[in-house]
Amino acid sequence: MNSPLPRLRWLGHATALIEDRGTRVLTDPVLTSRLVHLRRRRGENPSGPGVFDPDVVVLSHLHADHTHLPSLRLVREQVPIVVPRGAPDALTSLRRLGNELIEVSPGDEVRIGQVTIRAVPADHDGRRWRRGDHTTPALGYVVTGDATTYFAGDTDVYADLHDWVRDVDLALLPVAGWGPTLGEGHMNPERATVAAEVVRARRSVPIHFGTLWPIGLSRVRPERFYSPGAQFVELARRNGKEAVELQPGEQLS
């Protein structure tokens, strides 16, 4: 029996549902309409097949918009969660979820269902709290089944990225953030275009933009909210790379 074609559903921000060989991988789930001082400004709260009962969840780092405990509590307890090594010690609330926690470092591989998930480095502050100890790295993940999908999490382009990630069928690349400013360890559309070239992505989808925004700041630099995805697609195509902008909730096969 043939397996279904690989497909992606972007659920907003850094949350995506990757389905390959019938195995569902949910990334950095934010499944609610509110996250502390942020609110969801585009798209409905994620729902549908695989959102609350994927085969596995992967977490890129401990920032609250990537490791969102209220959203993780909505995921079925039987679902394993892949986390950066040291994360359960840095954020003990993860242990209270009841899910199996699989700790990984760059280069580690985990077999879930019919896909292999490999952890790769990320150039980003992986701490939960700004003044916390640097004990937990930020990661990206490469999911390999019938296709090879790179979920970058939060990162900037780093020197040996090509040694860790190359020749991918699909790259999910962050192109902005959740506010009017963008600090170190992030990509803007220009840097994401460089990343698509470095990893030799056959197709790229911009993520980490146009979903969450601080309450009360809807009129402050709105172009930082709406425009990064389209800017990335235009720049990527100028460089001969295929890229597709999705709206939160849309699917790509």
Side-chain angles (χ1 to χ4, degrees), residues 194-214:
V194 173
E197 186 68 34
V198 168
V199 305
R200 298 197 296 221
R202 294 177 179 85
R203 176 181 288 179
S204 299
V205 170
I207 62 171
H208 205 268
F209 80 100
T211 311
L212 304 175
W213 204 251

PDB file of all heavy atoms in Angstrom, residues 194-214:
ATOM      1  N   VAL A 194      19.267  33.837   2.249  1.00  0.00           N
ATOM      2  CA  VAL A 194      20.613  33.252   2.322  1.00  0.00           C
ATOM      3  C   VAL A 194      20.538  31.815   2.829  1.00  0.00           C
ATOM      4  O   VAL A 194      21.181  30.912   2.296  1.00  0.00           O
ATOM      5  CB  VAL A 194      21.520  34.108   3.228  1.00  0.00           C
ATOM      6  CG1 VAL A 194      22.868  33.412   3.446  1.00  0.00           C
ATOM      7  CG2 VAL A 194      21.723  35.488   2.639  1.00  0.00           C
ATOM      8  N   ALA A 195      19.724  31.588   3.864  1.00  0.00           N
ATOM      9  CA  ALA A 195      19.597  30.240   4.424  1.00  0.00           C
ATOM     10  C   ALA A 195      19.056  29.258   3.397  1.00  0.00           C
ATOM     11  O   ALA A 195      19.539  28.122   3.290  1.00  0.00           O
ATOM     12  CB  ALA A 195      18.689  30.276   5.649  1.00  0.00           C
ATOM     13  N   ALA A 196      18.051  29.679   2.629  1.00  0.00           N
ATOM     14  CA  ALA A 196      17.491  28.796   1.595  1.00  0.00           C
ATOM     15  C   ALA A 196      18.553  28.398   0.586  1.00  0.00           C
ATOM     16  O   ALA A 196      18.578  27.254   0.102  1.00  0.00           O
ATOM     17  CB  ALA A 196      16.314  29.483   0.899  1.00  0.00           C
ATOM     18  N   GLU A 197      19.438  29.331   0.268  1.00  0.00           N
ATOM     19  CA  GLU A 197      20.525  29.045  -0.672  1.00  0.00           C
ATOM     20  C   GLU A 197      21.551  28.110  -0.043  1.00  0.00           C
ATOM     21  O   GLU A 197      22.019  27.158  -0.682  1.00  0.00           O
ATOM     22  CB  GLU A 197      21.196  30.355  -1.094  1.00  0.00           C
ATOM     23  CG  GLU A 197      22.237  30.207  -2.180  1.00  0.00           C
ATOM     24  CD  GLU A 197      21.653  29.819  -3.520  1.00  0.00           C
ATOM     25  OE1 GLU A 197      20.521  30.254  -3.825  1.00  0.00           O
ATOM     26  OE2 GLU A 197      22.327  29.071  -4.250  1.00  0.00           O
ATOM     27  N   VAL A 198      21.895  28.363   1.215  1.00  0.00           N
ATOM     28  CA  VAL A 198      22.927  27.564   1.890  1.00  0.00           C
ATOM     29  C   VAL A 198      22.497  26.108   2.023  1.00  0.00           C
ATOM     30  O   VAL A 198      23.301  25.187   1.802  1.00  0.00           O
ATOM     31  CB  VAL A 198      23.242  28.170   3.270  1.00  0.00           C
ATOM     32  CG1 VAL A 198      24.090  27.210   4.108  1.00  0.00           C
ATOM     33  CG2 VAL A 198      23.957  29.506   3.118  1.00  0.00           C
ATOM     34  N   VAL A 199      21.236  25.859   2.406  1.00  0.00           N
ATOM     35  CA  VAL A 199      20.783  24.473   2.602  1.00  0.00           C
ATOM     36  C   VAL A 199      20.287  23.845   1.304  1.00  0.00           C
ATOM     37  O   VAL A 199      19.839  22.707   1.297  1.00  0.00           O
ATOM     38  CB  VAL A 199      19.696  24.386   3.693  1.00  0.00           C
ATOM     39  CG1 VAL A 199      20.189  24.998   4.989  1.00  0.00           C
ATOM     40  CG2 VAL A 199      18.382  25.036   3.248  1.00  0.00           C
ATOM     41  N   ARG A 200      20.361  24.608   0.212  1.00  0.00           N
ATOM     42  CA  ARG A 200      19.947  24.134  -1.110  1.00  0.00           C
ATOM     43  C   ARG A 200      18.525  23.564  -1.074  1.00  0.00           C
ATOM     44  O   ARG A 200      18.263  22.435  -1.501  1.00  0.00           O
ATOM     45  CB  ARG A 200      20.945  23.109  -1.650  1.00  0.00           C
ATOM     46  CG  ARG A 200      22.329  23.678  -1.842  1.00  0.00           C
ATOM     47  CD  ARG A 200      23.227  22.865  -2.722  1.00  0.00           C
ATOM     48  NE  ARG A 200      23.536  21.568  -2.196  1.00  0.00           N
ATOM     49  CZ  ARG A 200      24.745  20.998  -2.245  1.00  0.00           C
ATOM     50  NH1 ARG A 200      25.752  21.641  -2.799  1.00  0.00           N
ATOM     51  NH2 ARG A 200      24.961  19.810  -1.766  1.00  0.00           N
ATOM     52  N   ALA A 201      17.629  24.393  -0.555  1.00  0.00           N
ATOM     53  CA  ALA A 201      16.233  23.975  -0.437  1.00  0.00           C
ATOM     54  C   ALA A 201      15.555  23.988  -1.802  1.00  0.00           C
ATOM     55  O   ALA A 201      15.668  24.964  -2.544  1.00  0.00           O
ATOM     56  CB  ALA A 201      15.492  24.908   0.521  1.00  0.00           C
ATOM     57  N   ARG A 202      14.866  22.940  -2.120  1.00  0.00           N
ATOM     58  CA  ARG A 202      14.106  22.891  -3.366  1.00  0.00           C
ATOM     59  C   ARG A 202      12.860  23.766  -3.285  1.00  0.00           C
ATOM     60  O   ARG A 202      12.406  24.294  -4.298  1.00  0.00           O
ATOM     61  CB  ARG A 202      13.737  21.445  -3.692  1.00  0.00           C
ATOM     62  CG  ARG A 202      14.956  20.584  -3.996  1.00  0.00           C
ATOM     63  CD  ARG A 202      14.586  19.132  -4.254  1.00  0.00           C
ATOM     64  NE  ARG A 202      15.791  18.370  -4.568  1.00  0.00           N
ATOM     65  CZ  ARG A 202      16.596  17.838  -3.663  1.00  0.00           C
ATOM     66  NH1 ARG A 202      16.318  17.973  -2.373  1.00  0.00           N
ATOM     67  NH2 ARG A 202      17.673  17.172  -4.020  1.00  0.00           N
ATOM     68  N   ARG A 203      12.331  23.901  -2.085  1.00  0.00           N
ATOM     69  CA  ARG A 203      11.181  24.783  -1.867  1.00  0.00           C
ATOM     70  C   ARG A 203      11.257  25.272  -0.425  1.00  0.00           C
ATOM     71  O   ARG A 203      11.668  24.545   0.466  1.00  0.00           O
ATOM     72  CB  ARG A 203       9.869  24.041  -2.117  1.00  0.00           C
ATOM     73  CG  ARG A 203       8.619  24.874  -1.822  1.00  0.00           C
ATOM     74  CD  ARG A 203       7.349  24.091  -2.073  1.00  0.00           C
ATOM     75  NE  ARG A 203       7.109  23.880  -3.492  1.00  0.00           N
ATOM     76  CZ  ARG A 203       6.068  23.213  -3.971  1.00  0.00           C
ATOM     77  NH1 ARG A 203       5.186  22.674  -3.154  1.00  0.00           N
ATOM     78  NH2 ARG A 203       5.892  23.077  -5.275  1.00  0.00           N
ATOM     79  N   SER A 204      10.852  26.505  -0.203  1.00  0.00           N
ATOM     80  CA  SER A 204      10.868  27.082   1.140  1.00  0.00           C
ATOM     81  C   SER A 204       9.512  27.686   1.470  1.00  0.00           C
ATOM     82  O   SER A 204       8.804  28.179   0.578  1.00  0.00           O
ATOM     83  CB  SER A 204      11.949  28.162   1.262  1.00  0.00           C
ATOM     84  OG  SER A 204      13.234  27.629   1.017  1.00  0.00           O
ATOM     85  N   VAL A 205       9.180  27.659   2.744  1.00  0.00           N
ATOM     86  CA  VAL A 205       7.965  28.287   3.256  1.00  0.00           C
ATOM     87  C   VAL A 205       8.354  29.190   4.417  1.00  0.00           C
ATOM     88  O   VAL A 205       9.020  28.740   5.352  1.00  0.00           O
ATOM     89  CB  VAL A 205       6.942  27.235   3.726  1.00  0.00           C
ATOM     90  CG1 VAL A 205       5.789  27.895   4.477  1.00  0.00           C
ATOM     91  CG2 VAL A 205       6.405  26.434   2.542  1.00  0.00           C
ATOM     92  N   PRO A 206       7.999  30.482   4.373  1.00  0.00           N
ATOM     93  CA  PRO A 206       8.300  31.376   5.487  1.00  0.00           C
ATOM     94  C   PRO A 206       7.378  31.112   6.671  1.00  0.00           C
ATOM     95  O   PRO A 206       6.170  30.900   6.507  1.00  0.00           O
ATOM     96  CB  PRO A 206       8.062  32.762   4.896  1.00  0.00           C
ATOM     97  CG  PRO A 206       7.037  32.539   3.818  1.00  0.00           C
ATOM     98  CD  PRO A 206       7.318  31.175   3.262  1.00  0.00           C
ATOM     99  N   ILE A 207       7.960  31.115   7.872  1.00  0.00           N
ATOM    100  CA  ILE A 207       7.183  30.951   9.100  1.00  0.00           C
ATOM    101  C   ILE A 207       7.630  32.006  10.099  1.00  0.00           C
ATOM    102  O   ILE A 207       8.462  32.853   9.804  1.00  0.00           O
ATOM    103  CB  ILE A 207       7.344  29.535   9.696  1.00  0.00           C
ATOM    104  CG1 ILE A 207       8.809  29.276  10.093  1.00  0.00           C
ATOM    105  CG2 ILE A 207       6.879  28.470   8.700  1.00  0.00           C
ATOM    106  CD1 ILE A 207       9.014  27.998  10.890  1.00  0.00           C
ATOM    107  N   HIS A 208       7.046  31.972  11.303  1.00  0.00           N
ATOM    108  CA  HIS A 208       7.442  32.850  12.404  1.00  0.00           C
ATOM    109  C   HIS A 208       7.177  34.315  12.070  1.00  0.00           C
ATOM    110  O   HIS A 208       7.981  35.195  12.356  1.00  0.00           O
ATOM    111  CB  HIS A 208       8.922  32.625  12.738  1.00  0.00           C
ATOM    112  CG  HIS A 208       9.280  32.979  14.162  1.00  0.00           C
ATOM    113  ND1 HIS A 208       9.734  34.226  14.516  1.00  0.00           N
ATOM    114  CD2 HIS A 208       9.265  32.259  15.303  1.00  0.00           C
ATOM    115  CE1 HIS A 208       9.985  34.258  15.819  1.00  0.00           C
ATOM    116  NE2 HIS A 208       9.703  33.070  16.327  1.00  0.00           N
ATOM    117  N   PHE A 209       6.033  34.578  11.471  1.00  0.00           N
ATOM    118  CA  PHE A 209       5.626  35.960  11.178  1.00  0.00           C
ATOM    119  C   PHE A 209       4.108  35.971  11.052  1.00  0.00           C
ATOM    120  O   PHE A 209       3.462  34.938  10.887  1.00  0.00           O
ATOM    121  CB  PHE A 209       6.254  36.447   9.867  1.00  0.00           C
ATOM    122  CG  PHE A 209       5.522  35.955   8.621  1.00  0.00           C
ATOM    123  CD1 PHE A 209       4.644  36.784   7.950  1.00  0.00           C
ATOM    124  CD2 PHE A 209       5.696  34.646   8.172  1.00  0.00           C
ATOM    125  CE1 PHE A 209       3.953  36.330   6.835  1.00  0.00           C
ATOM    126  CE2 PHE A 209       5.022  34.191   7.061  1.00  0.00           C
ATOM    127  CZ  PHE A 209       4.149  35.028   6.386  1.00  0.00           C
ATOM    128  N   GLY A 210       3.542  37.167  11.147  1.00  0.00           N
ATOM    129  CA  GLY A 210       2.145  37.366  10.784  1.00  0.00           C
ATOM    130  C   GLY A 210       1.127  36.560  11.565  1.00  0.00           C
ATOM    131  O   GLY A 210       0.072  36.235  11.033  1.00  0.00           O
ATOM    132  N   THR A 211       1.423  36.256  12.827  1.00  0.00           N
ATOM    133  CA  THR A 211       0.474  35.490  13.635  1.00  0.00           C
ATOM    134  C   THR A 211       0.278  36.142  14.998  1.00  0.00           C
ATOM    135  O   THR A 211      -0.819  36.556  15.340  1.00  0.00           O
ATOM    136  CB  THR A 211       0.966  34.041  13.833  1.00  0.00           C
ATOM    137  OG1 THR A 211       1.342  33.473  12.590  1.00  0.00           O
ATOM    138  CG2 THR A 211      -0.141  33.190  14.456  1.00  0.00           C
ATOM    139  N   LEU A 212       1.340  36.240  15.782  1.00  0.00           N
ATOM    140  CA  LEU A 212       1.272  36.796  17.126  1.00  0.00           C
ATOM    141  C   LEU A 212       1.796  38.217  17.133  1.00  0.00           C
ATOM    142  O   LEU A 212       2.757  38.533  16.431  1.00  0.00           O
ATOM    143  CB  LEU A 212       2.106  35.943  18.090  1.00  0.00           C
ATOM    144  CG  LEU A 212       1.758  34.459  18.175  1.00  0.00           C
ATOM    145  CD1 LEU A 212       2.761  33.741  19.071  1.00  0.00           C
ATOM    146  CD2 LEU A 212       0.346  34.251  18.690  1.00  0.00           C
ATOM    147  N   TRP A 213       1.173  39.077  17.953  1.00  0.00           N
ATOM    148  CA  TRP A 213       1.611  40.471  18.045  1.00  0.00           C
ATOM    149  C   TRP A 213       1.253  41.007  19.431  1.00  0.00           C
ATOM    150  O   TRP A 213       0.229  40.601  19.993  1.00  0.00           O
ATOM    151  CB  TRP A 213       0.926  41.308  16.974  1.00  0.00           C
ATOM    152  CG  TRP A 213       1.666  42.555  16.578  1.00  0.00           C
ATOM    153  CD1 TRP A 213       1.307  43.848  16.858  1.00  0.00           C
ATOM    154  CD2 TRP A 213       2.884  42.637  15.839  1.00  0.00           C
ATOM    155  NE1 TRP A 213       2.228  44.722  16.318  1.00  0.00           N
ATOM    156  CE2 TRP A 213       3.209  44.001  15.681  1.00  0.00           C
ATOM    157  CE3 TRP A 213       3.740  41.691  15.285  1.00  0.00           C
ATOM    158  CZ2 TRP A 213       4.338  44.454  15.016  1.00  0.00           C
ATOM    159  CZ3 TRP A 213       4.863  42.118  14.613  1.00  0.00           C
ATOM    160  CH2 TRP A 213       5.155  43.483  14.488  1.00  0.00           C
ATOM    161  N   PRO A 214       2.061  41.887  19.993  1.00  0.00           N
ATOM    162  CA  PRO A 214       1.743  42.421  21.322  1.00  0.00           C
ATOM    163  C   PRO A 214       0.411  43.155  21.348  1.00  0.00           C
ATOM    164  O   PRO A 214       0.085  43.917  20.430  1.00  0.00           O
ATOM    165  CB  PRO A 214       2.914  43.377  21.603  1.00  0.00           C
ATOM    166  CG  PRO A 214       4.029  42.879  20.748  1.00  0.00           C
ATOM    167  CD  PRO A 214       3.363  42.364  19.500  1.00  0.00           C
TER     168      PRO A 214
END
